[in-house]
Amino acid sequence: MNKVVVIMPTFNEAKNIGGMIEKLVDKEFPKIKNAQMHLLVVNDLSKGKDDGTGDIVRQAIKSRKNIHILEDEKRGLGWAYIRGMKYAVKTLHADAVMEMDADGQHPPEFVAPMVQSFLDGADYAIGSRYIPGGSVPKEWPVFRRAVSFFGNLFIRVVLLKPRLHDLTTGFRLTRVEGVLDKIDLDKLMEPSRFAYKVDLLYQSVKSAKKVVEVPLEFRPRVEEASKFSTKEMISTFKVAIILGIKDKQKFFKFGTVGFIGYIVNALGIYFFARLGWAEWMIWAVATELAIISNFTLNNIWTFKAEKITGFIRLINKFVQFNLTSTGALVIQTVVGTLGVNAFGPRYRQILLPFIVVFLILPYNYLMYNLVIWRSWKLPRFFKK
Ligand code: GDD
Ligand code: MN
């Protein structure tokens, strides 16, 4: 049976943790029949002390077999999850882990649908407040709603994740095999902050084949105050921006390689013409040299993370690469001819850059990422 470990970080949650254990472990877990459910509390201390949270959990452990606790000096929310995730995987042998708040803002009855989506094949389930069925507290003032909504919208745009609706939620499920085990938790960005979750989401969505958003009704906090602050918010945006730029670096390299290819092409034409070659040979050889240059540079630079190696595979992929380049030739010929027919020959030179920028570049980038180097896994997004 699959084992799911709910990781719950606590920092002075004595007023909440007892009730949470009763509702989650005693009432909700038994309802989940086809998964083995465990709760792992990651309690943080301040100068070796807490408000009694740890004692309440240890008391609960005495009469229950599926509760565990880790305790350490406070280093921040990200570190708490890193410790919890490592323990859940290595010691508890979890098949999936969940992230969940202890303060009741993530209602325990929303755990079952998350687990169900995992059992139905989801690699990554996001408890989403911004899809039908999900919500933020009615009590939230307009300002707080706006910050959360626009903050999310901003991260969606920066990370180019238009199909996901909630990128900062603290309620998520991650499959260990193929997703969590691909992530180097020691290298997470901003591990001492809430911002850790943006990096984790970014990396998880990259590896997950099936990403699901499950509605979450985010409740108001009843006891104690939130530990979120403006500092946390700013660092969250910072992480999103850095990740966004990293993503675009690849596109920049791709563009540079394309430009070098153009130079190679032009130089080839120049030299082969001086050698007095037949016209078709000048063009054919110069074009092929550019294709070779593009293939090689993209392989060792742009897509170095997905680098193609081995003689046979290189040959195979190089043939594929030539085929996709032929595709670009077809697009350019067809659209160029149609364009000149429609607007007249005077527009030939104006048409070219438009065709290159709006058709050829996107086409090539798509083919490289999807077919040649396969760096995009095209996650399937589902709503439940
Ligand atoms: N161990 C540990 N260490 N736990 C912490 C720490 C820490 O440094 N800081 C916060 N926590 C625990 C809290 O005790 C609580 O169980 C949970 O993390 C969430 O903290 P809150 O202070 O209640 O955060 P929030 O409600 O303002 O933020 C919620 O919304 C954010 C934005 O959407 C959370 O769900 C966040 O995860 C989410 O990013
Ligand atoms: Mn909270």
Side-chain angles (χ1 to χ4, degrees):
M1 204 181 339
N2 277 296
K3 192 179 206 179
V4 179
V5 176
V6 177
I7 303 173
M8 187 172 281
T10 51
F11 183 58
N12 294 339
E13 298 287 3
K15 289 203 180 109
N16 292 312
I17 193 68
M20 173 53 80
I21 288 175
E22 279 170 20
K23 282 186 214 119
L24 181 68
V25 179
D26 298 346
K27 286 223 187 79
E28 286 303 317
F29 280 3
K31 289 188 200 159
I32 303 171
K33 297 275 185 267
N34 26 17
Q36 209 187 326
M37 299 299 300
H38 285 254
L39 171 67
L40 170 60
V41 177
V42 187
N43 188 36
D44 269 359
L45 309 170
S46 157
K47 297 202 185 78
K49 284 201 205 76
D50 73 355
D51 64 347
T53 307
D55 288 339
I56 297 172
V57 177
R58 273 182 289 272
Q59 193 58 39
I61 288 177
K62 284 186 187 156
S63 55
R64 298 167 182 88
K65 280 196 221 83
N66 52 351
I67 306 184
H68 317 263
I69 185 168
L70 294 176
E71 218 165 52
D72 211 335
E73 200 55 30
K74 177 176 155 78
R75 287 173 76 193
L77 189 58
W79 282 118
Y81 272 116
I82 292 170
R83 266 190 284 142
M85 283 174 174
K86 284 183 175 173
Y87 188 82
V89 173
K90 286 196 196 119
T91 310
L92 301 177
H93 306 289
D95 298 293
V97 298
M98 280 193 65
E99 292 158 73
M100 183 173 178
D101 294 352
D103 57 0
Q105 292 200 262
H106 297 152
E109 59 270 27
F110 283 76
V111 170
M114 296 283 278
V115 173
Q116 193 52 50
S117 72
F118 161 69
L119 296 173
D120 291 343
D123 299 298
Y124 195 54
I126 299 172
S128 181
R129 299 162 293 181
Y130 297 110
I131 57 171
S135 59
V136 296
K138 296 184 290 294
E139 293 80 353
W140 271 13
V142 179
F143 178 70
R144 177 101 201 250
R145 277 166 195 270
V147 168
S148 177
F149 182 80
F150 286 107
N152 249 298
L153 196 65
F154 175 80
I155 299 173
R156 254 167 100 182
V157 173
V158 175
L159 288 185
L160 285 179
K161 296 276 177 276
R163 294 158 92 176
L164 290 182
H165 299 80
D166 196 341
L167 295 98
T168 58
T169 180
F171 194 60
R172 305 185 295 205
L173 181 146
T174 313
R175 184 184 292 274
V176 175
E177 193 188 351
V179 186
L180 191 61
D181 59 12
K182 290 252 163 71
I183 299 174
D184 186 350
L185 291 170
D186 291 314
K187 293 207 180 107
L188 225 50
M189 293 168 72
E190 296 282 337
S192 61
R193 300 204 172 278
F194 282 58
Y196 84 92
K197 68 180 76 239
V198 177
D199 192 15
L200 214 47
L201 173 118
Y202 177 82
Q203 295 195 52
S204 302
V205 169
K206 240 185 188 160
S207 319
K209 290 202 186 69
K210 187 173 173 184
V211 178
V212 183
E213 274 189 286
V214 181
L216 167 71
E217 284 174 28
F218 195 54
R219 299 275 159 80
R221 203 188 231 275
V222 182
E223 296 287 352
E224 306 281 2
S226 159
K227 281 111 199 165
F228 196 74
S229 62
T230 319
K231 253 193 186 161
E232 301 290 353
M233 189 179 73
I234 290 170
S235 89
T236 300
F237 289 146
K238 194 180 95 187
V239 168
I241 292 170
I242 292 173
L243 288 173
I245 291 173
K246 255 197 203 156
D247 234 25
K248 269 129 226 116
Q249 256 172 15
K250 207 172 205 173
F251 190 77
F252 170 79
K253 290 180 181 175
F254 156 83
T256 310
V257 170
F259 183 71
I260 295 172
Y262 165 77
I263 306 266
V264 169
N265 206 337
L267 287 176
I269 290 174
Y270 175 77
F271 283 114
F272 300 144
R274 289 190 60 172
L275 290 176
W277 288 9
E279 191 63 29
W280 70 269
M281 248 178 75
I282 297 175
W283 287 88
V285 178
T287 307
E288 192 54 38
L289 279 183
I291 290 176
I292 293 172
S293 151
N294 283 357
F295 180 72
T296 311
L297 292 178
N298 275 322
N299 195 39
I300 59 178
W301 191 41
T302 319
F303 294 96
K304 68 165 181 257
E306 295 85 14
K307 193 152 143 199
I308 302 158
T309 53
F311 187 69
I312 303 287
R313 249 177 69 74
L314 269 170
I315 296 289
N316 262 328
K317 285 290 178 178
F318 182 63
V319 171
Q320 257 187 31
F321 191 82
N322 272 274
L323 286 176
T324 61
S325 304
T326 310
L329 178 97
V330 171
I331 294 174
Q332 196 158 316
T333 308
V334 170
V335 180
T337 309
L338 288 176
V340 171
N341 279 338
F343 304 114
R346 280 198 298 140
Y347 286 88
R348 206 171 270 139
Q349 291 302 329
I350 300 171
L351 270 165
L352 183 63
F354 276 99
I355 296 174
V356 168
V357 170
F358 291 110
L359 292 174
I360 302 301
L361 288 185
Y363 165 81
N364 277 339
Y365 200 56
L366 209 73
M367 294 310 263
Y368 295 179
N369 277 293
L370 283 182
V371 183
I372 310 287
W373 284 279
R374 292 176 181 267
S375 75
W376 289 347
K377 302 246 167 27
L378 271 209
R380 293 176 288 152
F381 293 90
F382 291 86
K383 266 180 234 160
K384 239 192 148 182

